Amino acid sequence: MNCVLRIRAYFSAENMKKQWSRENYRILFLYFVFSVLLNGVIELLARRSLLDTLSFCIGKPWVFLYGAFLIFTVLSFSLLFPKRRFWFFLFAAVWFGLAVTDFILLTFRSMPLTASDIWLMAFVRDIFEKYLSRVELFFLILGIAALLGLIFFLWTRARRFPCIPCFSVVSILLSCLLLFALTELFVRIDVLDKTNAFSSLPHAYHENGFVYCFSASLVTGGVDEPEEYSPHEVEEIIDTQRDLPPTKTDLPNLVFVQLESFFDANYLNDLILSENPVQNFEALKANYPSGLLSVPCVGAGTANTEFEVLTGMNLSHFGVGEYPYMTIVNATASESIAFTLEQIGYATHAIHNNNATFYDRHIVYANLGFQTFTSLEYMNDVQYNPRGWADDSVLTGEICKALAATEEKDFVFAVTVQPHGKYPSEPLPDAQIIGVAGMEDEARKNGLEYYLYQLKECDAFVAELTQALRDFDEPTVVVFYGDHLPSFNFQQEELSCGSVQTTEYVIWSNFPLSENTKRDLQTYQLGAYVMDLCGIHEGAIFRLHQSYDYAGDSSAAYQQALEVLEYDILSGEQYYAENGATPQPTDMHFGVEEVCITALTQEEDALRVSGEHFTPYSVVFVNDIGYETTYLSETALLVEGLVLAPEDVVAVAQVSAADALEILSMSKSFVFAQS
């Protein structure tokens, strides 16, 4: 009875009049004014120009006000709490913090902040030391601790206000409904761009504002189900591929080499380089099929270029700023070049001279059809550049090793890392450089001179690999391509060729492949194009690209068909698969050579483990307990202070270079027998 009376009293006309008071409407008005001002600050940070910000606010007032209303809707949730000022300023601080993060991020690369960058932080913790000094890391940790302390302090001191739940809930619901309606309306009348039309993230953020685009990156993901999706639609798409010729029987090895931050630096306007850093790549371009490659990222996003090449899928159809390696293919097997070639008898290998766990590659590569994966943890004789990245020269031997490991034809997918940022703003002691004249910004010049020498070293690897394969006794095709421009925030006017979202590719072979054709491609078309040149016409998506003759983003029918297949493969009923044969994760093996123990020698106060294919990331385990291990050579490890007992079980684990607690693989056990 008391409960009923309380409800009646709460919803009485007198109490409702108190809630819908002029003072509460004044609070909402102040919230919106603050949101407009905050959105102005956010856009100023995103655009780095007062004139550009004013031009956006005046030239696109509805877009600007939409962003402000989106912020207002988030801030209005603070009305639900008694300490509403605390929550108001906390929500506002989150928006401001995102804008500051975006501002800082744009000093290292051209791609704006997305939600995926935040999720990615868990994967890049191991490379913080390459981007930040120990002093900077210390102050970063100190700053985070201070921020958390400040939040706690403000929480304890925050003033409590009388609750206005009915007014708050109704206001929030109305704001959310209006926001949803405005979003639908503005997208339909082209005030805002559709998220699946974000072919260039920098352009999308510039045209639609930071708030809308970042919010879209939070709520979008994967490929939405197309309206026309059905078994009949998929069958019609497959039918368009019937005119393609059958796959040839005499096929070459295929080697794809994705070159980190690689591009022709001679395209930089008004700069004089002391030497040509890419003379080998340019020589290949002059004599073999090549062209510009439109990549999905600028200054970062290696895994997304990788994804498009391997799957043939267009990232424009996915969520804003999405990394499918972290959202989809780390849990779902997908059609890929590796799966497609495996079906016609190829052995498939992935190679990367960086740690195996970055971007979840140790999981993703199995879902993309690779039978082996040789990461940094399985390599010996690795040299490192001044920034701590592995030199690319080690990859020549690893690629040749993979090609020689099987009797079948091989597909090898290798990813380099040496020219990776962060690039130094001051000269590094003992670091070799290529001189640059004509750049006034001294810090940028120092970074560019360092990068150019790393680029030269990567170019030397290109020459070394082609030379090693020139006399290889099997026909082999090698595709070299850059994943994105380096993170110098190049502007379009600084480039004499291509755009900030183009790199280049070249297709080399140790046998006559085709005439020296020049053709510009989208990244997601590269795999299909190379297979086409080799006479391979397999895989639903790759055959689609071939049947449409690589039409590009402007062909609506082509993009519609591609989107249908992408959805069908990743999230749909997989109607595309003939006889229900859909990709399944492979039982991927790390390295093409097996790490094994051949003998155990108990020395006076140490255990010597003899075997094969050990690396600096080999760790001795005894009865499932890991011990600090000294790497002596490829055939010997030493554990000091360890005395074995009869029947102790010994194994050697390969641990992640990023996290010593992450075991990638374990050798077969070896039982100790005391002599």
Side-chain angles (χ1 to χ4, degrees):
M1 186 67 179
N2 288 337
C3 182
V4 173
L5 292 175
R6 287 177 182 174
I7 293 173
R8 285 181 176 176
Y10 180 80
F11 285 101
S12 64
E14 183 179 353
N15 192 48
M16 289 298 100
K17 186 177 180 181
K18 289 180 181 179
Q19 294 223 10
W20 269 268
S21 66
R22 180 178 298 177
E23 177 61 23
N24 289 341
Y25 283 121
R26 177 175 167 275
I27 292 173
L28 289 181
F29 175 74
L30 292 176
Y31 271 33
F32 185 74
V33 171
F34 182 87
S35 299
V36 171
L37 295 175
L38 179 57
N39 194 34
V41 172
I42 289 172
E43 289 301 326
L44 179 61
L45 289 170
R47 295 167 191 278
R48 298 163 169 254
S49 165
L50 179 60
L51 185 61
D52 193 14
T53 303
L54 290 174
S55 176
F56 173 71
C57 297
I58 297 170
K60 293 196 167 188
W62 290 113
V63 177
F64 176 77
L65 289 174
Y66 171 87
F69 187 71
L70 199 159
I71 295 173
F72 166 81
T73 302
V74 174
L75 296 181
S76 67
F77 278 84
S78 64
L79 295 171
L80 295 171
F81 303 98
K83 296 183 178 183
R84 65 170 180 255
R85 280 186 184 170
F86 168 81
W87 289 104
F88 173 86
F89 285 111
L90 182 62
F91 294 156
V94 169
W95 278 115
F96 181 72
L98 291 171
V100 171
T101 304
D102 179 62
F103 178 84
I104 295 171
L105 198 63
L106 288 174
T107 64
F108 298 111
R109 70 181 204 193
S110 301
M111 300 294 280
L113 179 72
T114 67
S116 293
D117 292 308
I118 297 173
W119 317 143
L120 189 61
M121 293 300 255
F123 294 84
V124 301
R125 64 187 186 279
D126 59 296
I127 66 170
F128 277 173
E129 291 184 2
K130 296 183 177 69
Y131 280 83
L132 301 174
S133 67
R134 291 186 178 182
V135 174
E136 290 171 328
L137 278 171
F138 171 77
F139 280 108
L140 175 63
I141 295 170
L142 188 66
I144 292 173
L147 179 61
L148 293 175
L150 178 63
I151 290 172
F152 179 75
F153 174 77
L154 293 176
W155 164 259
T156 59
R157 301 298 296 270
R159 177 184 169 186
R160 300 178 71 92
F161 290 87
C163 290
I164 46 174
C166 190
F167 177 81
S168 302
V169 170
V170 171
S171 299
I172 291 169
L173 286 175
L174 287 175
S175 295
C176 290
L177 288 172
L178 181 56
L179 179 66
F180 179 79
L182 285 174
T183 305
E184 288 293 308
L185 174 64
F186 284 179
V187 167
R188 287 180 181 274
I189 64 176
D190 294 328
V191 171
L192 295 170
D193 292 334
K194 293 181 180 178
T195 56
N196 60 6
F198 285 8
S199 57
S200 167
L201 276 184
H203 178 76
Y205 273 67
H206 187 269
E207 293 298 313
N208 300 276
F210 175 86
V211 173
Y212 169 67
C213 293
F214 181 82
S215 300
S217 75
L218 281 169
V219 299
T220 58
V223 181
D224 292 335
E225 181 175 346
E227 293 181 5
E228 60 277 4
Y229 178 66
S230 68
H232 176 69
E233 180 68 20
V234 174
E235 185 178 351
E236 282 197 344
I237 293 170
I238 300 299
D239 282 343
T240 63
Q241 307 170 9
R242 301 297 183 196
D243 293 335
L244 291 172
T247 294
K248 294 180 180 179
T249 54
D250 186 18
L251 298 173
N253 296 315
L254 286 179
V255 180
F256 279 60
V257 183
Q258 181 166 296
L259 303 170
E260 169 66 39
S261 301
F262 192 96
F263 89 116
D264 190 339
N266 297 295
Y267 292 152
L268 291 171
N269 286 322
D270 304 323
L271 296 183
I272 300 174
L273 311 184
S274 61
E275 62 178 292
N276 184 0
V278 291
Q279 58 182 350
N280 297 306
F281 190 80
E282 287 190 332
L284 293 182
K285 286 192 299 181
N287 295 287
Y288 294 92
S290 61
L292 293 176
L293 190 66
S294 295
V295 295
C297 44
V298 184
T302 294
N304 279 353
T305 300
E306 213 174 293
F307 173 79
E308 285 203 347
V309 170
L310 286 171
T311 64
M313 297 185 186
N314 183 356
L315 273 169
S316 295
H317 300 151
F318 288 71
V320 175
E322 183 176 3
Y323 285 83
Y325 271 22
M326 298 156 53
T327 59
I328 299 175
V329 290
N330 58 351
T332 303
S334 169
E335 179 179 271
S336 68
I337 299 176
F339 272 123
T340 299
L341 294 180
E342 184 191 13
Q343 295 301 308
I344 56 174
Y346 277 73
T348 57
H349 315 275
I351 301 173
H352 185 30
N353 54 336
N354 197 16
N355 71 76
T357 58
F358 196 43
Y359 285 121
D360 269 350
R361 285 186 177 98
H362 64 307
I363 299 170
V364 167
Y365 280 161
N367 288 333
L368 291 177
F370 288 103
Q371 297 162 340
T372 70
F373 175 26
T374 303
S375 61
L376 178 66
E377 293 87 348
Y378 295 83
M379 297 179 184
N380 277 305
D381 303 319
V382 180
Q383 303 297 316
Y384 294 87
N385 71 13
R387 278 309 203 190
W389 299 109
D391 286 0
D392 292 333
S393 57
V394 71
L395 293 174
T396 299
E398 296 299 334
I399 291 171
C400 292
K401 193 185 299 180
L403 290 171
T406 64
E407 294 182 0
E408 305 102 299
K409 294 296 183 183
D410 294 285
F411 168 58
V412 179
F413 181 77
V415 181
T416 77
V417 76
Q418 183 172 349
H420 203 293
K422 175 186 177 183
Y423 308 115
S425 57
E426 297 181 357
L428 294 179
D430 303 324
Q432 294 179 282
I433 64 171
I434 290 179
V436 174
M439 181 171 282
E440 296 180 359
D441 187 331
E442 193 66 23
R444 198 183 192 206
K445 176 175 175 287
N446 289 331
L448 185 59
E449 288 181 332
Y450 165 84
Y451 161 76
L452 290 175
Y453 188 81
Q454 302 307 311
L455 185 64
K456 175 186 174 182
E457 296 258 290
C458 184
D459 184 67
F461 152 68
V462 169
E464 186 180 79
L465 180 60
T466 54
Q467 184 59 41
L469 296 178
R470 196 173 302 278
D471 298 323
F472 191 59
D473 59 2
E474 296 177 9
T476 302
V477 173
V478 185
V479 187
F480 297 102
Y481 64 94
D483 60 350
H484 52 70
L485 263 61
S487 53
F488 287 103
N489 204 13
F490 291 130
Q491 302 302 306
Q492 186 59 52
E493 58 270 18
E494 296 181 81
L495 303 174
S496 63
C497 181
S499 73
V500 294
Q501 279 193 241
T502 57
T503 60
E504 289 180 286
Y505 74 91
V506 63
I507 305 170
W508 176 89
S509 60
N510 61 2
F511 67 98
L513 177 63
S514 68
E515 61 183 24
N516 184 10
T517 55
K518 304 298 177 186
R519 181 161 193 168
D520 297 341
L521 296 170
Q522 301 291 326
T523 311
Y524 54 84
Q525 298 169 335
L526 181 61
Y529 182 67
V530 174
M531 288 194 286
D532 201 358
L533 291 180
C534 297
I536 302 173
H537 305 285
E538 304 289 338
I541 278 191
F542 304 110
R543 286 170 60 87
L544 176 71
H545 296 315
Q546 294 167 354
S547 63
Y548 273 91
D549 195 30
Y550 318 101
D553 290 342
S554 59
S555 172
Y558 171 44
Q559 292 300 323
Q560 178 179 305
L562 179 57
E563 191 170 3
V564 168
L565 282 185
E566 290 164 348
Y567 177 80
D568 187 51
I569 290 169
L570 294 176
S571 306
E573 300 299 323
Q574 298 184 315
Y575 300 126
Y576 78 98
E578 296 181 12
N579 304 319
T582 58
Q584 299 298 320
T586 59
D587 182 18
M588 189 175 71
H589 187 275
F590 284 94
V592 295
E593 298 172 320
E594 185 175 358
V595 176
C596 64
I597 301 173
T598 56
L600 300 174
T601 305
Q602 184 67 68
E603 300 179 352
E604 184 175 344
D605 192 26
L607 174 67
R608 186 182 186 90
V609 180
S610 300
E612 295 178 341
H613 312 305
F614 298 146
T615 76
Y617 298 98
S618 297
V619 174
V620 174
F621 275 68
V622 180
N623 302 326
D624 297 326
I625 299 174
Y627 289 85
E628 186 174 345
T629 303
T630 301
Y631 171 77
L632 300 178
S633 71
E634 191 174 345
T635 59
L637 303 172
L638 187 70
V639 182
E640 296 181 351
L642 178 62
V643 178
L644 294 182
E647 305 303 315
D648 277 347
V649 179
V650 181
V652 173
Q654 298 301 116
V655 300
S656 169
D659 183 356
L661 298 178
E662 176 88 33
I663 297 175
L664 300 174
S665 66
M666 187 79 75
S667 73
K668 291 181 180 178
S669 299
F670 195 101
V671 179
F672 177 66
Q674 192 169 22
S675 57

